[in-house]
Amino acid sequence: MTDTKGKVVAVNGNMVSVEFDGKVSLNEVGYVKVGGQSLKGEVIRIRGNTAQMQIYEMTNGISTDCNVEFTGDLLSVEVGPGLLGQVYDGLQNPLPLLAEHSGYFLERGVYLSALDENTKWDFTPTAKEGDVVFAGDSVGTVPEGPFTHKIQVPYGFLGSYTVKKIAKAGSYKIHDTIATLVDEKGKSHNICMSFKWPVKRAVNCYAERLSPEEPMVTKVRLIDTFFPVAKGGTYCIPGPFGAGKTVLQHTTSRNADVDIVIVAACGERAGEVVETLKEFPELKDPRTGRSLMERTIIICNTSSMPVASREASVYTGVTLAEYYRQMGLNVLLLADSTSRWAQAMREMSGRLEEIPGEEAFPAYLESTIASFYERAGMMQNLNGTEGSVSIIGAVSPQGGDFSEPVTQNTKRFVRCFWGLDKSLAYSRHFPAIHWLTSYSEYLNDLAPWYQTHVNKNFIDLRNQIMALLNTESSLMEIVKLIGSDVLPDDQKLILEIARVIRLGFLQQNAFHADDTCVPLEKQYKMMEIILYLYKKAKALVTMGMPMSVLKEDNIFEKIIAIKYDVPNDKPEMFDDYKKAVDTFYDKVLEKNG
């Protein structure tokens, strides 16, 4: 605590105005004293000797003349061993411990340590006396779950430091001194296995921001093939209620090619958050066969919690993601939903009596969203390792209107857009990503990787299938007006092949052993066989064979069923399907030749 104190002079919802005597900084944390409790708040505006604070608790009982104590610290999170597997609220309070302390109904004004202070960790030094280190460099390691957790020099250490003393290998608590560093002025600094970092200040301890070159493989066909996202990329999932945003996020988090998953529930309905808490411990990690929670952090902030803490939960999540990125790990951050985060900003902006922008959102909505997504990226760290933070933001536009401000401002700063369609969801077509409204700007960047690691023709086949889907969309406009019977057979064939693509490739069953996650090799083989069928059928139509004759055979249904009938580990079975297409071609030719 500092010597700066103040008194509440006005209360407006969860925002209080405080007159203070001393020095106060923007984003500084302070505590309002009310009824024997200390309620945490953050300074969001300063005018003269009056500070506006947003309170992260229910403000019942706060009145004028309540005392306020300022800490001198910015809103921060504590990072160190013990984060994985935790469930926090937006202020990084461990919810299981809060429940033990308070029961079913959490008490306001109770703040617990984010990390267990009594657990001992097996520390192994990697630095030695006399080494020169910088902020973000590793001085030792401890095992944590499936990873080796690197103990880093705190990010606030500027310039170079010399290791004066380093602890020997052994078991230590997170607050035990494990190294003594000497700065360029000869001053000694003791460091432990944990430290704090402000959530609204990006971690910039990296040498270079790298270009996107490798996809974040999700094993969802529609995503990996048509709308891929790069490691370190940004993408959003806009969609109306019931379109499958949360389910798609869970599927992505389980199967994505990343090391750490961080789920930030920002203003979500309590029922969905409870579902997340129940499901994630039960999900099996395909990498280890154990619980997915071993490499997951969940940050809960339901819609029934104070509005101000919605903003904190998003920044808490991205700061923890940057911490693990500095270790050379790939991190996926799921923010669900950024619309409710923006609504919280709108509410606070109204209480600050700021000039509103479009639909009463603050005028700085665009820059705030930009600064959040800017914290994603693939980085080359100062220690030579490479790590990434990929950010996915779920957007919940009212009525599914993609023209509303949050969706439009998000589209400006993300390079991948997975637009969910309620008509697809209601027809049980999942994932309900519409292939005509979605896009990925990473496709050209990732094309060399696909050609090298999957097949040189991968992108070409993808483009051919996308062209067929676009043609189908145009033809369906005609069908709606005059019916499909008047179409020539070559166009009827396109509609039939598009149906095979939609049902056999785009639609994916998350509850099927083989279809829930599909490797890229099988995705390529499926595209190849679909286009091979189209090639052979088109040749028959060109010869004058009517579509009614072609559909007498069950070859189209057989190709649709490939996703179920061909196991992921038996790509050689596709040769049998190619032979089946050839047999179909010969049979039709012989019968009608």
Side-chain angles (χ1 to χ4, degrees), residues 203-222:
V203 178
N204 293 321
C205 300
Y206 58 85
E208 183 181 1
R209 182 184 290 267
L210 303 176
S211 300
E213 295 179 349
E214 182 180 352
M216 185 186 74
V217 179
T218 65
K219 297 184 179 179
V220 177
R221 288 188 296 268
L222 180 55

Side-chain angles (χ1 to χ4, degrees), residues 353-399:
E353 299 180 355
E354 296 172 332
I355 297 176
E358 187 178 2
E359 293 190 16
F361 284 103
Y364 49 81
L365 174 68
E366 179 180 359
S367 60
T368 303
I369 291 176
S371 63
F372 170 65
Y373 283 105
E374 183 65 22
R375 295 175 72 167
M378 171 69 76
M379 310 299 188
Q380 182 178 32
N381 299 318
L382 294 174
N383 56 16
T385 61
E386 292 182 3
S388 68
V389 172
S390 305
I391 297 180
I392 169 176
V395 185
S396 305
Q398 294 182 357

Side-chain angles (χ1 to χ4, degrees), residues 216 235 252-253 256 258 260-262 330-334 390 392:
M216 185 186 74
Y235 55 114
T252 304
S253 62
V258 294
I260 306 290
V261 177
I262 299 177
N330 296 308
V331 188
L332 173 62
L333 171 63
L334 311 176
S390 305
I392 169 176

Side-chain angles (χ1 to χ4, degrees), residues 570-583:
K570 292 185 178 180
E572 65 275 5
M573 289 182 62
F574 280 94
D575 293 336
D576 298 332
Y577 284 86
K578 189 172 184 180
K579 292 176 182 177
V581 173
D582 290 335
T583 301

